[in-house]
Amino acid sequence: MNIKNISKYLATAFVAFGLAATTGCSSDDPFFTADENDAPRILNTDLPEGKGGEPGEIANIERTQNFTFEVKVTPVHYTTVNWYIDGEEVAEGLTIDVPVLAGNHIVEIVATTTKGLSTSRTCKLTVRPAAGDPELATDGKSRWLTIGKVKTIECKNVNSVTKVFIGKTEATNVSYADGKLTFTVPSMEEDDYQVSIEDATGMRYGCGIFTVSSEDYVDPGIKETTLWEGDTDINWGESNVQISAEELANVPVGATIRLEYDIIDMPEGYHAMRITTPWWGDNPEDQIIPQFDLTEDTPNPFEFTYTEANKAIVDERGGMLIVGYGYKVKKVVLVEGVAPAETTLWEGSAEINWGDSNINITSEELADVPEGATINLYYEIIDMPEGYHAMRITTPWWGDNPEDQIVPQFDLTEDTPKPYSFTYTGANKGIVDERGGMLIVGYGYKVTKVTYSK
């Protein structure tokens, strides 16, 4: 061995011995392996661990703040770090400093060596809207987008909208007027997507998660039963749709019957609908819905309330007959209310940890919640080392006195109802209005949704 090689050997041995002495020795020490042939490792201890199959939260910031973070990797001189947000590469290098739209995002950090070996970490990034940012309605129906259909959504803090993006797909026929945004939902894969809007200045705002589906929205408080489905051109006695009294036997008085139809182009431009019985007849007592002209302004679907008189004539005369001229019946549906519909006040994924993490719903967001309404908290208990779980619903003023609480603190157990529901009393409303909101605090649980039903 020549002098040069001996010197190199001794220097390497000295470094290895020094590291072993300091670290308790191990080739497992991440700083010990610095060769380009080694597998890459991300060394940060400040990257959050996921729980219950969900990624941990790397940051919770306001929209006006950039998302910044730095990673440590080995072998550092042979590793490239790429940053992805919602599947799109946004940065390269050990640090990231980028603006992100409001919403819940997935961050993936991928470290790849010159030899093609790679490792990655996945985290959640929460970006809160800034005060005064545009807001789109948060109820379930507003956030349901049916492919190919025109969608109208109530807005706040909006002056103009020139573009709407569902994920990365741009919607068409975008317009905004009188606090309402309208657009056509494009053809795309069914899934949940972040929706963003762009105003006339080119500023883009994140507006939260929406569901894209090929199906129409069904209110969770509504039950729909198909009474008839087909494709029948209505032409008086030559072609009509009959639903028998037996098929209508379970339709309760007061329910809604919905007719889905298409107007057909007719040479004479004449279109009429009548809902009668197999006895026909032209007198008022012969009709379920007296004849009327169908126009472009007629609601589609057409709905009517099934009255006691309707039920009596159907039972007496053996059924309901849909007749008229110049339209096509596609579906007849029974619509019943089965439970109070819920309105979403807040939706997301927040692990409750006293002052470090809680949920504040402002008095403005609670303004439409009437006294006597039921507020529902959808939650999951989180495994905690000390086995301690507690819930309290208070206000931004906190306080420990009874008059400071909306719901006094109590222990969460496996027997606590899910969702946890309580009545929004006059006293609750008074303290919320006075103190600016409702604060959901406690320890050891994760809230996914807060709703109310009247």
Side-chain angles (χ1 to χ4, degrees), residues 415-430:
D415 295 328
T416 306
K418 290 185 177 180
Y420 174 74
S421 302
F422 67 93
T423 301
Y424 191 61
T425 65
N428 295 158
K429 183 170 176 58

Side-chain angles (χ1 to χ4, degrees), residues 60-64 100-104 126-136 143 157 205-208 365:
N60 189 315
I61 59 175
E62 191 177 89
R63 191 264 306 163
T64 54
V100 185
L101 296 177
N104 296 322
T126 301
V127 183
R128 306 184 306 276
D133 275 1
E135 297 177 34
L136 304 187
R143 300 227 155 199
N157 303 330
Y205 298 92
C207 298
E365 292 168 323

Side-chain angles (χ1 to χ4, degrees), residues 183-355:
F183 57 90
T184 300
V185 181
S187 178
M188 57 193 301
E189 292 291 325
E190 295 181 285
D191 206 342
D192 291 338
Y193 295 90
Q194 294 275 358
V195 167
S196 59
I197 63 174
E198 189 173 301
D199 65 17
T201 70
M203 183 68 180
R204 196 161 161 183
Y205 298 92
C207 298
I209 298 292
F210 286 67
T211 297
V212 173
S213 174
S214 59
E215 301 293 327
D216 289 329
Y217 178 78
V218 177
D219 193 306
I222 297 295
K223 177 184 176 184
E224 295 189 357
T225 305
T226 300
L227 299 172
W228 180 92
E229 191 166 13
D231 194 33
T232 299
D233 290 353
I234 303 300
N235 185 9
W236 294 119
E238 296 178 10
S239 177
N240 50 54
V241 171
Q242 179 170 330
I243 303 174
S244 70
E246 290 75 20
E247 293 169 314
L248 292 164
N250 293 324
V251 177
V253 170
T256 297
I257 293 182
R258 175 192 299 155
L259 272 68
E260 298 179 13
Y261 69 94
D262 290 330
I263 292 180
I264 302 169
D265 288 335
M266 306 302 289
E268 62 273 41
Y270 172 59
H271 311 272
M273 180 184 289
R274 185 200 299 181
I275 305 176
T276 183
T277 73
W279 291 19
W280 286 73
D282 293 320
N283 301 314
E285 64 270 17
D286 298 317
Q287 314 307 317
I288 294 171
I289 297 293
Q291 183 174 325
F292 63 94
D293 290 344
L294 276 178
T295 71
E296 295 295 336
D297 295 327
T298 305
N300 191 357
F302 173 76
E303 296 182 343
F304 66 93
T305 301
Y306 193 62
T307 66
E308 213 165 303
N310 295 157
K311 181 171 177 58
I313 194 172
V314 162
D315 290 345
E316 178 192 0
R317 301 185 178 186
M320 180 174 77
L321 199 64
I322 302 169
V323 301
Y325 183 76
Y327 68 102
K328 180 190 305 236
V329 177
K330 300 162 64 178
K331 201 172 186 181
V332 182
V333 179
L334 162 65
V335 182
E336 303 173 85
V338 293
E342 293 184 41
T343 300
T344 300
L345 294 168
W346 180 92
E347 192 165 14
S349 181
E351 295 188 2
I352 304 301
N353 183 12
W354 294 118

Side-chain angles (χ1 to χ4, degrees), residues 151-172:
K151 182 69 178 183
T152 299
I153 306 174
E154 299 277 349
C155 309
K156 290 195 296 186
N157 303 330
V158 175
N159 296 316
S160 64
V161 180
T162 56
K163 294 181 180 180
V164 174
F165 295 91
I166 306 168
K168 298 177 184 177
T169 304
E170 187 172 352
T172 57

Side-chain angles (χ1 to χ4, degrees), residues 97 114 128 147 161 176 207 238 346 370 381 394 409:
D97 187 349
T114 53
R128 306 184 306 276
I147 296 169
V161 180
Y176 171 76
C207 298
E238 296 178 10
W346 180 92
I381 291 178
T394 182
Q409 183 173 327

